[in-house]
mmCIF file of all heavy atoms in Angstrom:
data_model
loop_
_atom_site.group_PDB
_atom_site.id
_atom_site.type_symbol
_atom_site.label_atom_id
_atom_site.label_comp_id
_atom_site.label_asym_id
_atom_site.label_seq_id
_atom_site.Cartn_x
_atom_site.Cartn_y
_atom_site.Cartn_z
ATOM 1 N N GLY A 1 86.517 -43.605 -77.442
ATOM 2 C CA GLY A 1 85.770 -42.360 -77.287
ATOM 3 C C GLY A 1 86.288 -41.470 -76.172
ATOM 4 O O GLY A 1 85.579 -40.553 -75.717
ATOM 5 N N LEU A 2 87.523 -41.674 -75.718
ATOM 6 C CA LEU A 2 88.073 -40.844 -74.645
ATOM 7 C C LEU A 2 88.357 -39.436 -75.148
ATOM 8 O O LEU A 2 88.898 -39.257 -76.250
ATOM 9 C CB LEU A 2 89.344 -41.488 -74.094
ATOM 10 C CG LEU A 2 89.155 -42.889 -73.466
ATOM 11 C CD1 LEU A 2 90.496 -43.456 -73.056
ATOM 12 C CD2 LEU A 2 88.206 -42.830 -72.283
ATOM 13 N N THR A 3 88.020 -38.458 -74.348
ATOM 14 C CA THR A 3 88.175 -37.060 -74.771
ATOM 15 C C THR A 3 89.115 -36.302 -73.838
ATOM 16 O O THR A 3 89.386 -36.723 -72.720
ATOM 17 C CB THR A 3 86.805 -36.341 -74.768
ATOM 18 O OG1 THR A 3 86.272 -36.357 -73.438
ATOM 19 C CG2 THR A 3 85.847 -37.030 -75.721
ATOM 20 N N ASN A 4 89.593 -35.157 -74.326
ATOM 21 C CA ASN A 4 90.406 -34.269 -73.485
ATOM 22 C C ASN A 4 89.450 -33.289 -72.783
ATOM 23 O O ASN A 4 88.222 -33.325 -72.986
ATOM 24 C CB ASN A 4 91.450 -33.549 -74.331
ATOM 25 C CG ASN A 4 90.837 -32.670 -75.427
ATOM 26 O OD1 ASN A 4 89.669 -32.303 -75.349
ATOM 27 N ND2 ASN A 4 91.626 -32.321 -76.429
ATOM 28 N N PRO A 5 90.003 -32.400 -71.926
ATOM 29 C CA PRO A 5 89.110 -31.463 -71.214
ATOM 30 C C PRO A 5 88.243 -30.595 -72.105
ATOM 31 O O PRO A 5 87.195 -30.085 -71.662
ATOM 32 C CB PRO A 5 90.114 -30.610 -70.396
ATOM 33 C CG PRO A 5 91.276 -31.535 -70.182
ATOM 34 C CD PRO A 5 91.392 -32.319 -71.462
ATOM 35 N N LYS A 6 88.635 -30.413 -73.367
ATOM 36 C CA LYS A 6 87.838 -29.596 -74.282
ATOM 37 C C LYS A 6 86.765 -30.418 -75.000
ATOM 38 O O LYS A 6 86.055 -29.903 -75.859
ATOM 39 C CB LYS A 6 88.753 -28.949 -75.327
ATOM 40 C CG LYS A 6 89.747 -27.950 -74.729
ATOM 41 C CD LYS A 6 90.606 -27.315 -75.807
ATOM 42 C CE LYS A 6 91.574 -26.291 -75.230
ATOM 43 N NZ LYS A 6 92.425 -25.679 -76.306
ATOM 44 N N GLY A 7 86.653 -31.713 -74.642
ATOM 45 C CA GLY A 7 85.660 -32.549 -75.250
ATOM 46 C C GLY A 7 86.074 -33.120 -76.603
ATOM 47 O O GLY A 7 85.263 -33.743 -77.284
ATOM 48 N N GLN A 8 87.340 -32.945 -76.977
ATOM 49 C CA GLN A 8 87.838 -33.467 -78.246
ATOM 50 C C GLN A 8 88.305 -34.918 -78.073
ATOM 51 O O GLN A 8 88.898 -35.262 -77.029
ATOM 52 C CB GLN A 8 88.991 -32.612 -78.752
ATOM 53 C CG GLN A 8 88.605 -31.158 -79.003
ATOM 54 C CD GLN A 8 89.826 -30.277 -79.194
ATOM 55 O OE1 GLN A 8 90.850 -30.440 -78.495
ATOM 56 N NE2 GLN A 8 89.755 -29.326 -80.108
ATOM 57 N N ILE A 9 88.048 -35.759 -79.063
ATOM 58 C CA ILE A 9 88.528 -37.144 -79.014
ATOM 59 C C ILE A 9 90.043 -37.147 -78.970
ATOM 60 O O ILE A 9 90.710 -36.521 -79.812
ATOM 61 C CB ILE A 9 88.040 -37.946 -80.222
ATOM 62 C CG1 ILE A 9 86.491 -38.051 -80.214
ATOM 63 C CG2 ILE A 9 88.659 -39.332 -80.258
ATOM 64 C CD1 ILE A 9 85.962 -38.917 -79.125
ATOM 65 N N ARG A 10 90.616 -37.826 -78.009
ATOM 66 C CA ARG A 10 92.065 -37.870 -77.893
ATOM 67 C C ARG A 10 92.659 -38.862 -78.896
ATOM 68 O O ARG A 10 92.187 -40.004 -79.000
ATOM 69 C CB ARG A 10 92.481 -38.293 -76.484
ATOM 70 C CG ARG A 10 92.037 -37.361 -75.386
ATOM 71 C CD ARG A 10 92.566 -37.814 -74.033
ATOM 72 N NE ARG A 10 94.007 -37.619 -73.936
ATOM 73 C CZ ARG A 10 94.770 -38.196 -73.013
ATOM 74 N NH1 ARG A 10 94.212 -39.010 -72.116
ATOM 75 N NH2 ARG A 10 96.049 -37.960 -72.953
ATOM 76 N N PRO A 11 93.674 -38.459 -79.642
ATOM 77 C CA PRO A 11 94.304 -39.400 -80.571
ATOM 78 C C PRO A 11 95.052 -40.482 -79.808
ATOM 79 O O PRO A 11 95.405 -40.316 -78.633
ATOM 80 C CB PRO A 11 95.260 -38.508 -81.363
ATOM 81 C CG PRO A 11 95.577 -37.371 -80.445
ATOM 82 C CD PRO A 11 94.319 -37.139 -79.668
ATOM 83 N N MET A 12 95.322 -41.603 -80.474
ATOM 84 C CA MET A 12 96.023 -42.694 -79.850
ATOM 85 C C MET A 12 97.389 -42.285 -79.349
ATOM 86 O O MET A 12 97.867 -42.764 -78.301
ATOM 87 C CB MET A 12 96.136 -43.883 -80.806
ATOM 88 C CG MET A 12 96.755 -45.127 -80.193
ATOM 89 S SD MET A 12 95.937 -45.719 -78.690
ATOM 90 C CE MET A 12 94.337 -46.174 -79.363
ATOM 91 N N SER A 13 98.059 -41.377 -80.068
ATOM 92 C CA SER A 13 99.403 -40.925 -79.640
ATOM 93 C C SER A 13 99.343 -40.310 -78.240
ATOM 94 O O SER A 13 100.241 -40.545 -77.416
ATOM 95 C CB SER A 13 99.963 -39.908 -80.628
ATOM 96 O OG SER A 13 99.092 -38.797 -80.766
ATOM 97 N N ALA A 14 98.296 -39.541 -77.935
ATOM 98 C CA ALA A 14 98.179 -38.923 -76.620
ATOM 99 C C ALA A 14 97.959 -39.979 -75.540
ATOM 100 O O ALA A 14 98.520 -39.892 -74.444
ATOM 101 C CB ALA A 14 97.024 -37.923 -76.615
ATOM 102 N N LEU A 15 97.158 -41.023 -75.867
ATOM 103 C CA LEU A 15 96.938 -42.084 -74.900
ATOM 104 C C LEU A 15 98.228 -42.860 -74.624
ATOM 105 O O LEU A 15 98.541 -43.227 -73.480
ATOM 106 C CB LEU A 15 95.863 -43.051 -75.395
ATOM 107 C CG LEU A 15 94.432 -42.541 -75.496
ATOM 108 C CD1 LEU A 15 93.496 -43.687 -75.901
ATOM 109 C CD2 LEU A 15 93.979 -41.928 -74.182
ATOM 110 N N LEU A 16 99.002 -43.105 -75.675
ATOM 111 C CA LEU A 16 100.251 -43.842 -75.506
ATOM 112 C C LEU A 16 101.277 -43.017 -74.741
ATOM 113 O O LEU A 16 101.975 -43.538 -73.864
ATOM 114 C CB LEU A 16 100.806 -44.248 -76.873
ATOM 115 C CG LEU A 16 100.005 -45.346 -77.605
ATOM 116 C CD1 LEU A 16 100.474 -45.473 -79.037
ATOM 117 C CD2 LEU A 16 100.117 -46.683 -76.895
ATOM 118 N N ASP A 17 101.386 -41.736 -75.064
ATOM 119 C CA ASP A 17 102.317 -40.869 -74.312
ATOM 120 C C ASP A 17 101.985 -40.887 -72.830
ATOM 121 O O ASP A 17 102.881 -41.028 -71.987
ATOM 122 C CB ASP A 17 102.233 -39.425 -74.838
ATOM 123 C CG ASP A 17 103.062 -39.178 -76.088
ATOM 124 O OD1 ASP A 17 104.052 -39.914 -76.299
ATOM 125 O OD2 ASP A 17 102.749 -38.237 -76.837
ATOM 126 N N SER A 18 100.713 -40.740 -72.499
ATOM 127 C CA SER A 18 100.329 -40.684 -71.091
ATOM 128 C C SER A 18 100.419 -42.051 -70.430
ATOM 129 O O SER A 18 100.576 -42.141 -69.201
ATOM 130 C CB SER A 18 98.923 -40.113 -70.932
ATOM 131 O OG SER A 18 97.960 -40.930 -71.574
ATOM 132 N N ALA A 19 100.367 -43.122 -71.220
ATOM 133 C CA ALA A 19 100.525 -44.468 -70.646
ATOM 134 C C ALA A 19 101.976 -44.736 -70.274
ATOM 135 O O ALA A 19 102.261 -45.499 -69.360
ATOM 136 C CB ALA A 19 100.024 -45.519 -71.621
ATOM 137 N N VAL A 20 102.918 -44.081 -71.002
ATOM 138 C CA VAL A 20 104.324 -44.208 -70.643
ATOM 139 C C VAL A 20 104.592 -43.382 -69.382
ATOM 140 O O VAL A 20 105.048 -43.905 -68.349
ATOM 141 C CB VAL A 20 105.236 -43.749 -71.806
ATOM 142 C CG1 VAL A 20 106.709 -43.750 -71.359
ATOM 143 C CG2 VAL A 20 105.059 -44.633 -73.033
ATOM 144 N N PHE A 21 104.296 -42.089 -69.449
ATOM 145 C CA PHE A 21 104.370 -41.211 -68.281
ATOM 146 C C PHE A 21 103.110 -40.368 -68.230
ATOM 147 O O PHE A 21 102.736 -39.748 -69.218
ATOM 148 C CB PHE A 21 105.592 -40.273 -68.331
ATOM 149 C CG PHE A 21 105.558 -39.239 -67.246
ATOM 150 C CD1 PHE A 21 105.993 -39.564 -65.972
ATOM 151 C CD2 PHE A 21 105.041 -37.964 -67.478
ATOM 152 C CE1 PHE A 21 105.918 -38.638 -64.944
ATOM 153 C CE2 PHE A 21 104.989 -37.031 -66.448
ATOM 154 C CZ PHE A 21 105.417 -37.366 -65.182
ATOM 155 N N PRO A 22 102.396 -40.422 -67.120
ATOM 156 C CA PRO A 22 102.737 -41.004 -65.825
ATOM 157 C C PRO A 22 102.235 -42.422 -65.622
ATOM 158 O O PRO A 22 102.325 -42.952 -64.501
ATOM 159 C CB PRO A 22 102.053 -40.062 -64.861
ATOM 160 C CG PRO A 22 100.793 -39.662 -65.570
ATOM 161 C CD PRO A 22 101.190 -39.565 -67.032
ATOM 162 N N GLY A 23 101.742 -43.082 -66.690
ATOM 163 C CA GLY A 23 101.063 -44.348 -66.529
ATOM 164 C C GLY A 23 101.890 -45.497 -66.007
ATOM 165 O O GLY A 23 101.439 -46.236 -65.132
ATOM 166 N N THR A 24 103.104 -45.660 -66.533
ATOM 167 C CA THR A 24 103.880 -46.842 -66.155
ATOM 168 C C THR A 24 105.279 -46.543 -65.639
ATOM 169 O O THR A 24 105.944 -47.451 -65.114
ATOM 170 C CB THR A 24 104.011 -47.817 -67.354
ATOM 171 O OG1 THR A 24 104.557 -47.102 -68.476
ATOM 172 C CG2 THR A 24 102.685 -48.429 -67.737
ATOM 173 N N GLN A 25 105.774 -45.329 -65.818
ATOM 174 C CA GLN A 25 107.112 -45.000 -65.342
ATOM 175 C C GLN A 25 107.239 -43.515 -65.068
ATOM 176 O O GLN A 25 106.416 -42.722 -65.519
ATOM 177 C CB GLN A 25 108.187 -45.478 -66.331
ATOM 178 C CG GLN A 25 108.130 -44.865 -67.709
ATOM 179 C CD GLN A 25 109.097 -45.512 -68.704
ATOM 180 O OE1 GLN A 25 109.169 -46.709 -68.840
ATOM 181 N NE2 GLN A 25 109.837 -44.676 -69.423
ATOM 182 N N GLY A 26 108.305 -43.162 -64.339
ATOM 183 C CA GLY A 26 108.543 -41.772 -63.996
ATOM 184 C C GLY A 26 109.513 -41.112 -64.951
ATOM 185 O O GLY A 26 109.306 -41.133 -66.158
ATOM 186 N N GLY A 27 110.573 -40.535 -64.408
ATOM 187 C CA GLY A 27 111.501 -39.803 -65.223
ATOM 188 C C GLY A 27 112.200 -40.652 -66.260
ATOM 189 O O GLY A 27 112.669 -41.749 -65.951
ATOM 190 N N PRO A 28 112.291 -40.176 -67.506
ATOM 191 C CA PRO A 28 112.986 -40.934 -68.537
ATOM 192 C C PRO A 28 114.495 -40.952 -68.301
ATOM 193 O O PRO A 28 115.039 -40.068 -67.654
ATOM 194 C CB PRO A 28 112.644 -40.188 -69.825
ATOM 195 C CG PRO A 28 112.355 -38.795 -69.366
ATOM 196 C CD PRO A 28 111.752 -38.909 -68.013
ATOM 197 N N LEU A 29 115.149 -41.973 -68.801
ATOM 198 C CA LEU A 29 116.592 -42.109 -68.686
ATOM 199 C C LEU A 29 117.243 -41.341 -69.840
ATOM 200 O O LEU A 29 117.463 -41.898 -70.924
ATOM 201 C CB LEU A 29 116.981 -43.594 -68.702
ATOM 202 C CG LEU A 29 116.225 -44.470 -67.688
ATOM 203 C CD1 LEU A 29 116.647 -45.940 -67.884
ATOM 204 C CD2 LEU A 29 116.480 -44.008 -66.287
ATOM 205 N N GLU A 30 117.526 -40.073 -69.610
ATOM 206 C CA GLU A 30 117.949 -39.218 -70.733
ATOM 207 C C GLU A 30 119.346 -39.594 -71.268
ATOM 208 O O GLU A 30 119.652 -39.342 -72.422
ATOM 209 C CB GLU A 30 117.918 -37.752 -70.311
ATOM 210 C CG GLU A 30 116.503 -37.213 -70.118
ATOM 211 C CD GLU A 30 115.676 -37.172 -71.399
ATOM 212 O OE1 GLU A 30 116.272 -37.239 -72.487
ATOM 213 O OE2 GLU A 30 114.442 -37.090 -71.305
ATOM 214 N N HIS A 31 120.177 -40.228 -70.428
ATOM 215 C CA HIS A 31 121.471 -40.703 -70.955
ATOM 216 C C HIS A 31 121.257 -41.872 -71.907
ATOM 217 O O HIS A 31 121.963 -41.975 -72.921
ATOM 218 C CB HIS A 31 122.415 -41.094 -69.821
ATOM 219 C CG HIS A 31 121.874 -42.148 -68.907
ATOM 220 N ND1 HIS A 31 120.664 -42.019 -68.235
ATOM 221 C CD2 HIS A 31 122.364 -43.361 -68.550
ATOM 222 C CE1 HIS A 31 120.454 -43.108 -67.519
ATOM 223 N NE2 HIS A 31 121.473 -43.928 -67.682
ATOM 224 N N VAL A 32 120.268 -42.727 -71.601
ATOM 225 C CA VAL A 32 119.962 -43.815 -72.503
ATOM 226 C C VAL A 32 119.295 -43.298 -73.780
ATOM 227 O O VAL A 32 119.561 -43.778 -74.893
ATOM 228 C CB VAL A 32 119.059 -44.861 -71.797
ATOM 229 C CG1 VAL A 32 118.689 -45.983 -72.760
ATOM 230 C CG2 VAL A 32 119.730 -45.424 -70.571
ATOM 231 N N ILE A 33 118.439 -42.290 -73.644
ATOM 232 C CA ILE A 33 117.808 -41.696 -74.827
ATOM 233 C C ILE A 33 118.845 -41.043 -75.727
ATOM 234 O O ILE A 33 118.755 -41.136 -76.964
ATOM 235 C CB ILE A 33 116.705 -40.693 -74.386
ATOM 236 C CG1 ILE A 33 115.516 -41.448 -73.792
ATOM 237 C CG2 ILE A 33 116.237 -39.834 -75.564
ATOM 238 C CD1 ILE A 33 114.446 -40.573 -73.173
ATOM 239 N N ALA A 34 119.852 -40.410 -75.143
ATOM 240 C CA ALA A 34 120.952 -39.873 -75.952
ATOM 241 C C ALA A 34 121.656 -40.979 -76.707
ATOM 242 O O ALA A 34 121.999 -40.845 -77.903
ATOM 243 C CB ALA A 34 121.922 -39.115 -75.060
ATOM 244 N N ALA A 35 121.879 -42.114 -76.019
ATOM 245 C CA ALA A 35 122.522 -43.257 -76.680
ATOM 246 C C ALA A 35 121.614 -43.851 -77.742
ATOM 247 O O ALA A 35 122.095 -44.306 -78.797
ATOM 248 C CB ALA A 35 122.884 -44.300 -75.639
ATOM 249 N N LYS A 36 120.299 -43.849 -77.519
ATOM 250 C CA LYS A 36 119.362 -44.300 -78.562
ATOM 251 C C LYS A 36 119.491 -43.395 -79.799
ATOM 252 O O LYS A 36 119.492 -43.893 -80.938
ATOM 253 C CB LYS A 36 117.920 -44.255 -78.037
ATOM 254 C CG LYS A 36 117.576 -45.293 -77.001
ATOM 255 C CD LYS A 36 116.137 -45.089 -76.494
ATOM 256 C CE LYS A 36 115.778 -46.091 -75.414
ATOM 257 N NZ LYS A 36 114.415 -45.889 -74.844
ATOM 258 N N ALA A 37 119.580 -42.088 -79.586
ATOM 259 C CA ALA A 37 119.715 -41.165 -80.721
ATOM 260 C C ALA A 37 120.961 -41.509 -81.528
ATOM 261 O O ALA A 37 120.935 -41.488 -82.778
ATOM 262 C CB ALA A 37 119.762 -39.719 -80.216
ATOM 263 N N VAL A 38 122.061 -41.801 -80.846
ATOM 264 C CA VAL A 38 123.304 -42.181 -81.526
ATOM 265 C C VAL A 38 123.083 -43.454 -82.336
ATOM 266 O O VAL A 38 123.449 -43.550 -83.516
ATOM 267 C CB VAL A 38 124.453 -42.356 -80.528
ATOM 268 C CG1 VAL A 38 125.691 -42.918 -81.232
ATOM 269 C CG2 VAL A 38 124.789 -41.049 -79.839
ATOM 270 N N ALA A 39 122.479 -44.461 -81.706
ATOM 271 C CA ALA A 39 122.273 -45.746 -82.380
ATOM 272 C C ALA A 39 121.350 -45.608 -83.573
ATOM 273 O O ALA A 39 121.590 -46.216 -84.633
ATOM 274 C CB ALA A 39 121.704 -46.769 -81.396
ATOM 275 N N PHE A 40 120.295 -44.803 -83.462
ATOM 276 C CA PHE A 40 119.394 -44.605 -84.600
ATOM 277 C C PHE A 40 120.135 -43.908 -85.744
ATOM 278 O O PHE A 40 119.913 -44.229 -86.909
ATOM 279 C CB PHE A 40 118.182 -43.784 -84.192
ATOM 280 C CG PHE A 40 117.355 -44.380 -83.071
ATOM 281 C CD1 PHE A 40 116.569 -43.569 -82.264
ATOM 282 C CD2 PHE A 40 117.352 -45.746 -82.835
ATOM 283 C CE1 PHE A 40 115.803 -44.118 -81.229
ATOM 284 C CE2 PHE A 40 116.593 -46.312 -81.806
ATOM 285 C CZ PHE A 40 115.836 -45.473 -81.023
ATOM 286 N N GLY A 41 121.009 -42.987 -85.394
ATOM 287 C CA GLY A 41 121.819 -42.317 -86.420
ATOM 288 C C GLY A 41 122.743 -43.312 -87.113
ATOM 289 O O GLY A 41 122.903 -43.264 -88.358
ATOM 290 N N GLU A 42 123.307 -44.243 -86.360
ATOM 291 C CA GLU A 42 124.160 -45.273 -86.965
ATOM 292 C C GLU A 42 123.349 -46.176 -87.887
ATOM 293 O O GLU A 42 123.795 -46.559 -88.969
ATOM 294 C CB GLU A 42 124.816 -46.109 -85.863
ATOM 295 C CG GLU A 42 125.860 -45.351 -85.053
ATOM 296 C CD GLU A 42 126.428 -46.174 -83.900
ATOM 297 O OE1 GLU A 42 125.853 -47.237 -83.561
ATOM 298 O OE2 GLU A 42 127.451 -45.745 -83.339
ATOM 299 N N ALA A 43 122.121 -46.514 -87.435
ATOM 300 C CA ALA A 43 121.294 -47.435 -88.216
ATOM 301 C C ALA A 43 120.787 -46.805 -89.526
ATOM 302 O O ALA A 43 120.349 -47.534 -90.434
ATOM 303 C CB ALA A 43 120.103 -47.891 -87.391
ATOM 304 N N LEU A 44 120.841 -45.495 -89.614
ATOM 305 C CA LEU A 44 120.438 -44.798 -90.850
ATOM 306 C C LEU A 44 121.543 -44.807 -91.905
ATOM 307 O O LEU A 44 121.294 -44.420 -93.057
ATOM 308 C CB LEU A 44 120.040 -43.349 -90.541
ATOM 309 C CG LEU A 44 118.669 -43.157 -89.883
ATOM 310 C CD1 LEU A 44 118.539 -41.745 -89.274
ATOM 311 C CD2 LEU A 44 117.547 -43.413 -90.880
#
């Protein structure tokens, strides 16, 4: 039943996004994310 400032029920995606940042880590490793994008492309 968690809501946003407008009183709307927050979807699970919003809770998960905020649990990654700022919940458990800071700046993402964008060089690793670029490499993830390459690997996902290969896996397709």
Side-chain angles (χ1 to χ4, degrees):
L2 298 176
T3 61
N4 61 20
K6 295 181 179 179
Q8 300 166 321
I9 296 290
R10 298 184 71 195
M12 184 55 65
S13 58
L15 292 185
L16 290 169
D17 277 335
S18 62
V20 175
F21 172 81
T24 54
Q25 61 188 48
L29 307 177
E30 291 295 342
H31 58 304
V32 178
I33 290 173
K36 290 176 183 178
V38 173
F40 301 155
E42 291 176 347
L44 284 165

